[in-house]
Amino acid sequence: MGYLGNHLATVVTGVFAAVLTGLWPYFVGFAPILEFVFVITVPITWFLTFVCWISQKSTDYMHKSQTHPSHTEKKSLSNSQTVQIFTSDGKQVSLTEIKAAQNELSGELNKLKESVKIKDSEIERLNQEISNLQTLIQIESLKTELANLKMLASEHKSKNK
């Protein structure tokens, strides 16, 4: 979050607007174009400062329910083993319960992987059988066609005699 509380853009724009506002009276008599530039830029920079401030306030408001631990709190959380985890119901869950659930789910995942491997091998075997059956059908079709050709050839010989 930093020293400025995420308002760095607001501060930088505000400082720039304040410097322009402070310099404006010193350049009033120099050139009309310079005065015109100040008349345009000073209100715009103050408007940008206001927009930055409002947008950061809006962001802070939208994220106020999500508490983020500071840098030092993150270090202490990583060093300590006691972590409080809450479910969406608001119930507290311990680290051992999470580990147990993780182990259970890992076991179920391994069983599913094994069943998928078995099913994959069965699908491969069935595909091989289908391929063999298609080959047998093609062979039978060729035998039938050959028998038909032999029959036609014998009829053709008998007619020619």
Side-chain angles (χ1 to χ4, degrees):
M1 202 148 149
Y3 294 110
L4 301 176
N6 288 336
H7 286 280
L8 182 63
T10 305
V11 170
V12 168
T13 311
V15 167
F16 184 63
V19 167
L20 284 178
T21 304
L23 290 177
W24 190 358
Y26 296 108
F27 291 102
V28 169
F30 281 109
I33 190 72
L34 196 57
E35 189 169 337
F36 177 73
V37 167
F38 274 99
V39 166
I40 297 298
T41 57
V42 169
I44 289 174
T45 54
W46 281 114
F47 176 73
L48 285 174
T49 304
F50 176 73
V51 167
C52 288
W53 180 76
I54 285 293
S55 66
Q56 187 58 49
K57 285 295 184 181
S58 171
T59 303
D60 291 344
Y61 177 78
M62 293 302 291
H63 297 288
K64 73 178 179 181
S65 63
Q66 301 173 356
T67 56
H68 300 290
S70 67
H71 186 65
T72 57
E73 289 173 352
K74 287 180 185 176
K75 282 184 179 178
S76 66
L77 281 178
S78 65
N79 291 337
S80 66
Q81 291 297 320
T82 57
V83 178
Q84 293 182 349
I85 300 172
F86 295 96
T87 63
S88 58
D89 305 1
K91 298 177 183 176
Q92 186 173 356
V93 180
S94 70
L95 198 55
T96 56
E97 291 173 336
I98 291 174
K99 290 288 185 186
Q102 183 181 11
N103 290 336
E104 181 182 337
L105 290 174
S106 295
E108 288 180 21
L109 181 63
N110 289 335
K111 288 178 187 175
L112 283 174
K113 285 180 181 178
E114 282 298 316
S115 68
V116 166
K117 285 180 184 177
I118 292 170
K119 293 202 187 301
D120 283 346
S121 63
E122 188 175 334
I123 288 171
E124 184 63 34
R125 184 186 60 79
L126 290 173
N127 282 337
Q128 185 65 34
E129 283 184 30
I130 289 170
S131 175
N132 292 341
L133 287 173
Q134 287 175 343
T135 304
L136 288 174
I137 290 171
Q138 289 172 348
I139 290 171
E140 290 298 321
S141 172
L142 288 173
K143 284 181 182 178
T144 306
E145 192 174 332
L146 185 60
N148 287 338
L149 286 173
K150 284 182 182 180
M151 189 185 313
L152 284 174
S154 66
E155 284 178 10
H156 186 62
K157 278 185 182 180
S158 64
K159 283 184 183 178
N160 285 340
K161 287 188 175 181

